[in-house]
Amino acid sequence: MSLFGLKFGKKKLQEEERQLQANNRDFNLQFEYANNSIKTSKYNFFTFLPLNLFEQFQRIANAYFLFLLILQLIPQISSLAWFTTVVPLVLVLAVSGVKDAIDDFNRHKSDKHVNNRPVQVLINGMLKDEKWMNVQVGDIIKLENNNFVTADLLLLSSSEPHSLTYIETAELDGETNLKVKQALTVTAELGEDLQKLTEFNGEVKCEAPNNKLDKFTGTLTLRGEKYALDNEKMLLRGCTIRNTEWCFGLVIYAGPDTKLMQNSGKTTFKRTSIDRLMNVLVLVIFAFLALMCLILAIGNGIWEYDKGYYFQVYLPWAEGVNSASYSGFLMFWSYVIILNTVVPISLYVSVEIIRLGNSFYIDWDRKMYYPLNDTPAQARTTTLNEELGQIEYIFSDKTGTLTQNIMCFNKCSINGKSYGDVYDMSGQRIEINENTEKVDFSYNQLADPKFAFYDHSLVEAVKLSDVPTHRFFRLLSLCHTVMPEEKKEGNLVYQAQSPDEGALVTAARNFGFVFRARTPETITVVEMGETKIYKLLAILDFNNVRKRMSVIVRSPEGDLTLYCKGADTILYELLHSSCDSLKEETTEHLNEFAGEGLRTLVVAYKNLDEDYFQDWIRRHHEASTALEGREDKLSELYEEIEKDLMLLGATAIEDKLQDGVPQTIETLAKANIKIWVLTGDKQETAMNIGYSCNLLNDDMEDVFIIEGSTSDDVLNELRNARKKMKPDSFLDSDEINIQFEKSSKKPKIVPDEQANGVYGLVITGHSLAYALEGNLELELVRTACMCKVVICCRVTPLQKAQVVELVKKYKKAVTLAIGDGANDVSMIKTAHIGVGISGQEGMQAVLSSDFSFAQFRYLQRLLLVHGRWSYIRMCKFLKYFFYKNFAFTLVHFWYGFFSGFSAQTVYDEWFITLYNLVYTSLPVLGMSLFDQDVDDRWSMLFPQLYVPGQQNLYFNKVVFVKCMLQGIYSSLILFFIPYGAMYNTMRSDGKAIADYQSFALMAQTCLLIVVSVQIGLDTSYWTVVNQFFIWGSLSVYFAITFTMYSDGMYLIFTASFPFVGTARNTLSQPIVWLAIFLSITLCVLPVVGFRFLKAQLKPTPSDKVLLKIKEAKKRPPPPSPKRRLRRTSTRRSGYAFSHQHGFGALIMSGRNMRPKSPFATTGTFSPNSDKHKHKGL
């Protein structure tokens, strides 16, 4: 049963096999499969209070204050009123609780939005609108074009021929190219006949829910026959239906059992390294507090035993105390209460306020606002700000994060002439920008209005009927596997298996060679306004070995031609010897294109002899029907015909990066941040992007490619890479080898190792699966972390999270994951900091993230400005806070030796109450919210300033000990200088002022002025607010002191304000002010001297940079020129076709063809002619 959202009773058995029947809810309910509701929230109405309090009391300090409160309720030891602890504790718990409630409310809202999406479910023979959360395993649902897939479905039937369904899987693997799924023939017959679908009672047996996106095994039993099921028949949650009017599917996995949710990872409670350090320090402070209390308690026992007896007459022991040892025991707990201010509860309130304030700065930053889709940056959590200043590893998705996922036909080389650059009147090449004049394609009625090209000379060549140019674009319009869609006359939409192919066919379309329609036997192209139908005789499809594709077509004039496109390294081997000079010119252009990070492709053709072709096509038919060695025989035939090709030229496609990506990566690299790209995309594509955004470059010593297909292969490849980077790492004397030979259950941290140069590493998902196994993971970490850049391609969402977890496990480093799709959610949740980009792939990444914005380039501002400032402010705050509280509290300790260890407070009780709450709270908050050592411009210009945060230099255990020692030293000065000044001292009128009240007032005044001067020294950036807070706090102190110690207050509240007249009597004496001045000088002088000498004699790298900035401020630098980063490269980007086999076989079979389009007719085409005006398709 369920009580308050918590499950009790028999634990659900682990599912080993799934069994379900279509349209039979009663049968399926017995297995208690999850329904389609998802839940990412942590609490519900009943569990919020107990669970949230349980979480909050896991903070050691909160538990400590609860313990203090209990002590204060015991009259024998209570030295302060109970409300001094209750009020701040309740305040802290309430503030944190409200914040957690708001965060969880937003998660509830997000869950509700997804769970309440509508879908059509077949119930009792009718389609009914249901909410997603009410869908159950075994239901049959109907999806329409552009719908999100509701759950993991077995495809039953669709509107397309042979029940094909086209899907986009961007949410799952980051790829936007279409994939095709096909239903079983036996279920395809069901069509959209609701009667047949209702009667369908097939039984499915399949594997239990798992996270493998590319694998599914099961069987469908229908009318006694068994049919095999695989991944090609499954539609997974997170996909989007494209190009398909409708389809029906049977729900196999729902809600948390879907592969998308199985890959999404668990929501973990994230805490910063400073939080964890503070927990350790709080324990140290408790031990220190216990030690002080023990010393004072022992002192009290000895004093009471030795001296106290003589004071019994007027200072009797408390009721129930009958021995010196028992008195000492009670004094221990009394001192625990008095000295508790070494860890004041206001520390945690202040930390939350500082984090909240710094979160607002991120929300309000106009420089991180993206106006095109009205998206501001957003700090979705307020507890991780300072960790943004400590990032060492960034794990980034590629598609939609680094790139816009838009392919553009950018440049080309035709017959030895390069097109795409724009020149001015003097022949100088000019940079293309939004003001550059675009080519006017208005002469072409079928042109794509979104296509942009700037080189007018290419259009002129087309209009002048230049033969090589026409042949070039004819090839682009014929050699592909794109599917056209023309629902409205003249409005063409291309559905390509890869976005590259779509870009090339669109380019041909705009330059006058419009791919219009296709059947299994024909391709219809509108060439310069004239419709031509080519017979499609063969498609020599792409695969990863061939790296090329060809088509053989017969023109309307009867000419037989083979058109081929592919990677230059492959096609150059197949060219006719007469192309050598043209090949040299084209190679120059290819190098130039690749130098700009463009994806290049070579195109060639060959005229075929009729007799030879007839013989070849006969042998091709025999090979394609062979039972054995079919692939090898076809491959040989392809090799045979694709010889002696004539070179036409090359294309260059830009996989558009988001604005500022190369500059951002360059800046982050200077900040000593390592970037790993984790993508579901192909190796070729990932490497192309690596080069175009300056992650990889030709200056690197080597780029290792790990693609072993067995565990041993992967191990050898990783070791060979490490041997090249650092041969010494294999010696027995290597410290890491020594460290890991010692058996220890404690997880070991791998120290940073320096390679002998700059290297990159590329690893495929298949090899990564082996590398993440227990015995190989250490080898992977050591090798990968020596490289400047790591690219993991073809990885699943879960592998992304595993890679992040691996670095967290072996490296003492703060990690950040950034992505924009559902496939990035698990890595975003796993990393210390998760950043979501609100891009084209939905909002799942943003909803799971800690921070979000619209463009990758804002990451450098988030880290180098906001992260760095937050870290420095938090460190300064903690250093100052611990210092001022040690200085404040330890005066009590020294006073104990002069007050018979009686737990007498050295200050007025009202001062103790107001010290952290009023007198010192605002100045430190002012510094922690407004301080900056340099402004945002200098932070971005000098990324090296970020490094101290990574090394945790500004606040660590050593820094804490220094603060502690400074506090102890100050407390000695603040006790003994006023004590010495007061000892046997007379006023100017001959009256004594050596009384307790005068001493207390003098000590607290010294303390407050000293800590105010100290915060002045710590402040780097003065604002009106800082000045107001510091001077205001001092003014408030004197105002409250004179008011509370006045005659009027004494007369009204006699018991509460016993220090009557002390302020005016003490503070009017010059000796008091002289003592205050002496105290300030002795407390501050060592600090100033130490800082000055350290900066002069042993400056840190940060000090050196700050000195450079100080000098540069005297002569402001010129504004940095806006430049486009280019790279020189001898490596050409091979064309990145789809990683799968192409659609060639599918097209030639005709299974995906609809009836012929009425627009695809022979003859001259004019959109306005009556002959072609049709009412419908």
Side-chain angles (χ1 to χ4, degrees), residues 439-448 451-453 459 507 510-512:
V439 170
D440 181 11
F441 291 111
S442 58
Y443 70 91
N444 180 357
Q445 301 266 344
L446 293 172
D448 183 346
F451 180 82
F453 201 76
V459 182
N510 275 58
F511 283 102

Side-chain angles (χ1 to χ4, degrees), residues 627-643:
L627 295 176
E628 289 182 9
R630 181 185 302 175
E631 292 296 324
D632 294 338
K633 288 176 181 175
L634 283 173
S635 184
E636 283 176 26
L637 279 170
Y638 292 170
E639 292 277 347
E640 179 193 315
I641 201 166
E642 290 173 329
K643 276 182 183 170

